């Protein structure tokens, strides 16, 4: 009785399925390329979303708020106020007859309240001896690494208004 033996050593099922190994690899490569493309697209869209969020968080509108009258603050004098919310303490300093500067009163190190040191004309933090320049809030000395956020002021006659916050 004749026997039907397959000439090759490949299993029978490989004959029954018309998928060849070389084609399988090709399909896998294609799927991998599709996966990479979709992943890259997803990351690109995610980065755009993060960029958009950070852009719009920087252009948030600040309230326009009267913080003092010029007559209320003598040269070398100080007035505290809250801006932009009641939970954000700020300090206004009149450095010359015509110059007013205002900063967040929270030290950028660990949020202690800074005060104006008239003798040295700088803002000082009593907690860890941090010092900030009165002209621009830059760090002069101590552990803080970031300058104090500066309150943007607008002068209308004898009225001083806060209109924004820089470096927050
Ligand atoms: S909290 Fe101001 S220096 Fe540390």
């Amino acid at each position: 009785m004749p026997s039907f033996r397959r000439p090759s050593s490949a299993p029978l099922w490989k004959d029954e399925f018309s998928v060849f190994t070389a084609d399988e690899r090709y399909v896998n490569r294609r799927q991998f390329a599709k996966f990479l493309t979709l992943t890259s697209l997803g990351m690109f869209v995610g980065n755009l979303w993060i960029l958009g969020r950070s852009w719009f968080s920087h252009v948030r509108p600040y309230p326009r708020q009267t913080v003092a009258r010029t007559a209320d603050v003598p040269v070398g004098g100080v007035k505290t106020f809250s801006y932009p919310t009641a939970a954000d303490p700020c300090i206004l300093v009149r450095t010359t007859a015509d110059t007013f500067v205002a900063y967040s009163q929270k030290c950028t190190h660990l949020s202690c309240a800074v005060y104006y040191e008239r003798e040295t004309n700088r803002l000082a933090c009593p907690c860890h001896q941090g010092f900030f320049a009165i002209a621009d809030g830059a760090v002069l000395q101590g552990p803080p690494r970031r300058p104090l956020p500066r309150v943007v002021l607008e002068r209308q006659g004898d009225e001083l208004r806060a209109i924004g916050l820089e470096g927050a």
Side-chain angles (χ1 to χ4, degrees):
M1 179 171 180
S3 70
F4 294 94
R5 289 197 58 127
R6 296 180 64 246
S8 75
S9 62
L12 178 62
W13 65 268
K14 285 220 172 193
D15 290 340
E16 310 255 329
F17 292 98
S18 57
V19 177
F20 301 103
T21 310
D23 290 344
E24 276 179 20
R25 266 195 233 114
Y26 176 72
V27 171
N28 285 342
R29 221 179 310 145
R30 183 188 292 169
Q31 285 175 336
F32 184 64
K34 196 190 287 181
F35 169 77
L36 280 183
T37 305
L38 289 175
T39 305
S40 301
L41 188 68
M43 290 176 74
F44 178 71
V45 170
N47 280 321
L48 278 183
W49 183 74
I50 290 169
L51 186 72
R53 260 189 72 146
S54 97
W55 171 262
F56 285 113
S57 70
H58 280 90
V59 291
R60 70 179 164 213
Y62 283 101
R64 187 173 289 260
Q65 176 187 318
T66 300
V67 294
R69 300 209 169 270
T70 54
D72 298 342
V73 188
V75 175
V78 167
K79 183 174 184 203
T80 56
F81 62 98
S82 296
Y83 185 82
T85 71
D88 300 309
C90 295
I91 183 168
L92 169 76
V93 182
R94 186 173 193 170
T95 54
T96 69
D98 290 326
T99 312
F100 293 85
V101 289
Y103 298 96
S104 165
Q105 206 178 6
K106 283 186 191 167
C107 176
T108 53
H109 180 222
L110 293 176
S111 298
C112 287
V114 298
Y115 67 92
Y116 179 54
E117 204 175 65
R118 192 174 303 148
E119 311 77 53
T120 56
N121 194 32
R122 60 188 181 177
L123 292 159
C125 177
C127 290
H128 310 103
Q129 301 300 302
F131 295 97
F132 300 89
I134 194 69
D136 57 4
V139 177
L140 296 174
Q141 181 185 323
R145 296 193 174 273
R146 291 176 293 120
L148 287 173
R150 192 174 75 87
V151 178
V152 181
L153 295 172
E154 176 188 79
R155 189 170 172 175
Q156 191 92 49
D158 71 334
E159 194 173 279
L160 289 168
R161 294 184 193 141
I163 58 170
L165 197 60
E166 288 177 346

